[in-house]
Amino acid sequence: MTSILGISAFYHDSAAALVVDGRIVAAAQEERFTRKKHDPGFPSHAVDYCLGCGGVKPGQLDYIAFYDKPLLKFDRLLETYLGFAPRGFASFREAMPLWLKGKIHMRRLIRHELPEARQAKLVFTEHHESHAASAFFPSPFESAAILTVDGVGEWSTAAIGVGKGNHLELLQELHFPHSPGLLYSAFTYYCGFKVNSGEYKLMGLAPYGQPRFASLIRDHLMSLREDGSLWLNQDYFNYCQGLTMTNERFHQLFGGPPRRPESPLESRHLDLAASIQLVIEEIVLRMAVEAHRLTGEKKLVLAGGVALNCVANGKLLRAGPFEELWIQPAAGDAGGALGAACFVWHQLLENPRVIHAGDQQQGSLLGPVATPTEIIQCLNDAGVPFEQFSEESVLLAEVARLLAAGKIVGWFQGRMEFGPRALGGRSILGDPRNIGMQSQMNVKIKFRESFRPFAPAVLRERAAEFFELPANAESPYMLLVAPVRKEHRLALKAADEKTMAEDPDLRHRVNVIRSTLPAITHVDFSARVQTVDEARNGRFYRLLKAFEQLTGCPVLVNTSFNVRGEPIVSAPADALRCFLATDMDVLVLENQLVRKEKVAVHSLDRERHLKQFEPD
Ligand SMILES: [Fe+2]
């Protein structure tokens, strides 16, 4: 038996993954255990969980694979510092203490954190090798082109490669400071959102705007070559020398200083979002065309933070040269832990790959599961009354009935998801046909800016009826955006058209009813689709079936089980706390069901819970 522990840490989204004899046994992000969003620390809890799940003692580990090469990264920081000195000292000083404490002495640090794993060989894979491995090895393809795009690893910011059987090779790389991810992050920062987490909001904002700044971006900030390589004009950016992303020249070009976080969004910000989204799509598409030209492959696998841009992915699938896409659900740096472990098993140890019809990712349900004892104890300790269902079908029929009656359900079952999306393991569910559902879920539960619609989870076999997806396409990891089909769109009333065009409050715009599934339809009729199948999703699939049986509708609203700024819930106690702190109506913890009306909620507990999390 060969056990390989993959680790990513010390940047953001630390994670661990365990691969035993080529099988992905477990993977989880540290934030879920520490309840600290994007926790960058050494993933001790995630490691403990993974080893426990596989029944592997630290002393039995054969390899520990770390997702990047610290010395190369140090090299990049140092050279960037020297290149921009003395202006760069601020960013260098910020980065250095962490490096000195952890990164440079990574070998020693890992040995220190896992003292019992003395016998395990330490392997450091390159950052984009880790991303590439996470995209290709678990994919359902025997061979495929590989595209990884992110902010920055050691030096690489994007890579094109090819995978065949149990081997992958990176053919071309783009180097820092020229980075599609950092370009997108610069606009995230400029529009007042948090870098490394607010990119999703910028993407959600784009459909409101006109891409009137796109040519300004193309002409001044960058040069995109025929082969998809990108050059960024450093006269406009500040990430090499300072602690911000953009500089005065950038601000002058786009007509003002960066938006202050949480301040009102102006139409300029909507147009900026639309513009950078268009440009990132052009970059990704051109890189994909080059990957196709270099490899001649028909299929493409993707990873790296930019691969979470599901709007770009959807366009790539519809317009690009590839017949099929597979995107690593933990596309950001957390997935590097999984990639590094898979890389050791296949690439370094030369073990063959077994190709599965779906993929090797197991629905990305690779996290912890709660036992009935744990759940019941948690509810009893909190004095929360609950009903217990021994028959799954009875439970599902009741949950479907509650959903159809407009209730919002916290849904906790099976293993927790690996990656940033909730896929029906730790989700909040609602009825997408309900016209008030979107604002209700936003205001009462997520406590967030509500200009973005929610995502639909749809029975895979009925997805093409509702969304413009190729007949055989699936989107099991909610990583493709597709338009709602014309037959489900509704004509707008004159007053609604005025709202759509002019209302400065985006929440009013997104609340205009424009399809038969208003809670999940964005202002441009797009939807972030999750296709649900029984093999991957089990009980969640059967819940959708029960809802379909009752209502004829095979779609549910699926949003992550958390409040704004909180990591997705992991243990039953996290779920219960979140349930009690919000206006969720029902909580389902495996076979146990809690109705809010039967629970005495203390407003103090509520405040205490919400106060812990800084808005993201
Ligand atoms: Fe990365």
Side-chain angles (χ1 to χ4, degrees):
M1 197 171 83
T2 305
S3 302
I4 307 166
L5 178 70
I7 289 174
S8 68
F10 302 123
Y11 186 45
H12 55 97
D13 290 321
S14 291
L18 180 68
V19 170
V20 177
D21 289 341
R23 203 174 75 81
I24 304 170
V25 171
Q29 284 151 265
E30 185 69 0
E31 64 161 28
R32 306 291 167 87
F33 304 97
T34 59
R35 313 304 299 149
K36 200 172 126 200
K37 199 149 186 172
H38 307 300
D39 194 337
F42 187 86
S44 313
H45 301 81
V47 168
D48 284 351
Y49 152 67
C50 287
L51 295 183
C53 180
V56 176
K57 296 202 172 65
Q60 295 170 316
L61 280 172
D62 299 282
Y63 294 88
I64 298 171
F66 193 77
Y67 84 127
D68 72 6
K69 289 196 193 285
L71 280 173
L72 273 178
K73 213 167 190 176
F74 176 74
D75 187 47
R76 193 239 314 151
L77 278 178
L78 191 64
E79 258 191 53
T80 309
Y81 163 61
L82 292 175
F84 288 89
R87 283 182 305 156
F89 189 67
S91 90
F92 191 66
R93 193 184 44 203
E94 278 276 295
M96 270 320 282
L98 240 186
W99 282 95
L100 286 176
K101 270 186 261 160
K103 301 189 180 189
I104 292 305
H105 306 293
M106 199 63 73
R107 204 168 272 281
R108 206 186 306 157
L109 187 127
I110 293 171
R111 293 292 185 210
H112 175 76
E113 293 286 347
L114 288 161
E116 296 154 58
R118 223 167 294 118
Q119 76 304 325
K121 292 187 185 73
L122 274 183
V123 179
F124 294 85
T125 54
E126 275 186 36
H127 192 97
H128 277 259
E129 273 175 351
S130 305
H131 278 315
S134 77
F136 177 63
F137 292 130
S139 82
F141 307 143
E142 169 62 36
S143 75
I146 302 170
L147 180 59
T148 62
V149 191
D150 69 359
V152 61
E154 297 93 354
W155 281 99
S156 294
T157 58
I160 291 173
V162 65
K164 287 183 199 293
N166 66 349
H167 189 83
L168 67 81
E169 190 185 350
L170 297 186
L171 306 169
Q172 293 210 334
E173 289 184 11
L174 189 65
H175 281 168
F176 184 85
H178 309 296
S179 161
L182 290 176
L183 175 67
Y184 204 84
S185 292
F187 280 88
T188 305
Y189 163 79
Y190 185 61
C191 290
F193 301 113
K194 271 194 185 162
V195 169
N196 285 331
S197 68
E199 281 74 9
Y200 237 70
K201 294 185 186 173
L202 195 65
M203 184 183 79
L205 200 58
Y208 290 100
Q210 296 301 323
R212 66 184 169 100
F213 295 109
S215 37
L216 217 53
I217 299 173
R218 290 188 203 103
D219 295 347
H220 290 82
L221 299 191
M222 57 181 258
S223 146
L224 178 61
R225 301 186 192 96
E226 206 47 53
D227 63 0
S229 64
L230 177 76
W231 176 86
L232 293 184
N233 186 349
Q234 290 306 307
D235 291 347
Y236 291 91
F237 299 94
N238 200 32
Y239 53 77
C240 285
Q241 59 270 50
L243 298 173
T244 56
M245 293 299 292
T246 56
N247 64 17
E248 201 43 50
R249 217 166 145 183
F250 186 107
H251 308 161
Q252 269 173 21
L253 186 64
F254 295 104
R259 172 182 166 252
R260 276 199 330 266
E262 310 297 314
S263 68
L265 285 158
E266 297 160 22
S267 73
R268 188 169 69 94
H269 302 122
L270 316 185
D271 295 342
L272 284 162
S275 306
I276 190 59
Q277 180 60 33
L278 180 68
V279 169
I280 203 79
E281 287 163 15
E282 287 167 2
I283 295 171
V284 170
L285 185 62
R286 198 165 298 181
M287 286 181 169
V289 168
E290 179 67 3
H292 186 255
R293 191 187 69 78
L294 283 173
T295 64
E297 293 290 332
K298 293 194 171 74
K299 290 154 186 175
L300 176 70
V301 296
L302 292 148
V306 175
L308 293 171
N309 192 307
C310 37
V311 178
N313 296 342
K315 293 203 173 143
L316 181 57
L317 180 63
R318 286 190 295 277
F322 291 98
E323 290 170 8
E324 280 182 71
L325 302 182
W326 192 85
I327 306 150
Q328 165 57 238
D333 284 353
L338 177 60
C342 293
F343 190 85
V344 170
W345 175 254
H346 292 298
Q347 186 97 354
L348 302 184
L349 301 177
E350 299 182 350
N351 287 297
R353 268 171 81 224
V354 184
I355 314 289
H356 282 268
D359 54 49
Q360 290 258 44
Q361 190 81 16
Q362 303 158 49
S364 220
L365 301 167
L366 300 167
V369 69
T371 62
T373 324
E374 195 185 340
I375 292 169
I376 291 167
Q377 174 141 22
C378 159
L379 291 168
N380 284 338
D381 286 352
V384 169
F386 62 91
E387 292 150 55
Q388 187 148 343
F389 291 76
S390 47
E391 279 285 318
E392 186 191 79
S393 59
V394 181
L395 170 71
L396 298 184
E398 176 60 6
V399 177
R401 192 188 65 76
L402 289 163
L403 285 164
K407 303 291 184 202
I408 299 174
V409 177
W411 175 255
F412 178 111
Q413 55 97 36
R415 298 183 74 177
M416 181 178 69
E417 301 84 348
F418 181 51
R421 304 279 80 84
L423 302 167
R426 305 287 183 274
S427 290
I428 299 172
L429 308 175
D431 183 346
R433 303 165 307 161
N434 190 316
I435 49 173
M437 189 51 67
Q438 174 159 287
S439 54
Q440 240 192 84
M441 283 178 115
N442 266 317
V443 175
K444 291 172 142 185
I445 297 184
K446 304 294 274 196
F447 307 109
R448 69 175 194 187
E449 296 146 280
S450 48
F451 58 79
R452 293 177 296 156
F454 290 104
V458 55
L459 289 174
R460 186 190 152 177
E461 61 271 24
R462 293 196 61 193
E465 278 174 53
F466 288 84
F467 305 103
E468 289 176 18
L469 280 169
N472 60 344
E474 55 171 17
S475 177
Y477 303 115
M478 211 187 265
L479 284 168
L480 291 177
V481 162
V484 171
R485 277 201 176 281
K486 296 223 166 48
E487 50 270 40
H488 292 282
R489 300 183 191 179
L490 302 173
L492 297 189
K493 296 186 208 106
D496 286 344
E497 278 190 38
K498 199 163 148 37
T499 305
M500 286 299 297
E502 294 167 12
D503 201 314
D505 190 336
L506 302 182
R507 288 169 300 184
H508 297 158
R509 295 199 210 178
V510 79
N511 285 335
V512 164
I513 307 301
R514 66 186 72 75
S515 86
T516 56
L517 301 172
I520 57 92
T521 307
H522 210 333
V523 293
D524 60 350
F525 297 103
S526 65
R528 191 154 49 90
V529 181
Q530 179 197 2
T531 58
V532 179
D533 59 272
E534 190 158 23
R536 283 194 184 93
N537 304 101
R539 182 177 275 194
F540 185 44
Y541 173 88
R542 294 189 291 278
L543 174 66
L544 272 158
K545 271 301 224 195
F547 187 70
E548 181 199 35
Q549 221 161 42
L550 183 70
T551 64
C553 173
V555 187
L556 283 173
V557 175
N558 176 11
T559 183
S560 52
F561 200 146
N562 58 350
V563 294
R564 191 177 168 195
E566 179 186 19
I568 297 178
V569 301
S570 172
D574 307 328
L576 182 62
R577 269 194 298 270
C578 183
F579 171 71
L580 294 175
T582 64
D583 286 328
M584 243 179 275
D585 302 297
V586 178
L587 172 65
V588 180
L589 296 168
E590 299 288 355
N591 293 340
Q592 284 64 233
L593 187 145
V594 182
R595 295 174 206 263
K596 184 61 75 53
E597 73 245 25
K598 302 216 168 136
V599 184
V601 178
H602 304 290
S603 55
L604 225 86
D605 293 349
R606 196 171 165 134
E607 261 169 52
R608 203 176 307 135
H609 180 75
L610 298 178
K611 260 217 251 65
Q612 305 169 63
F613 307 110
E614 198 188 320
D616 57 356

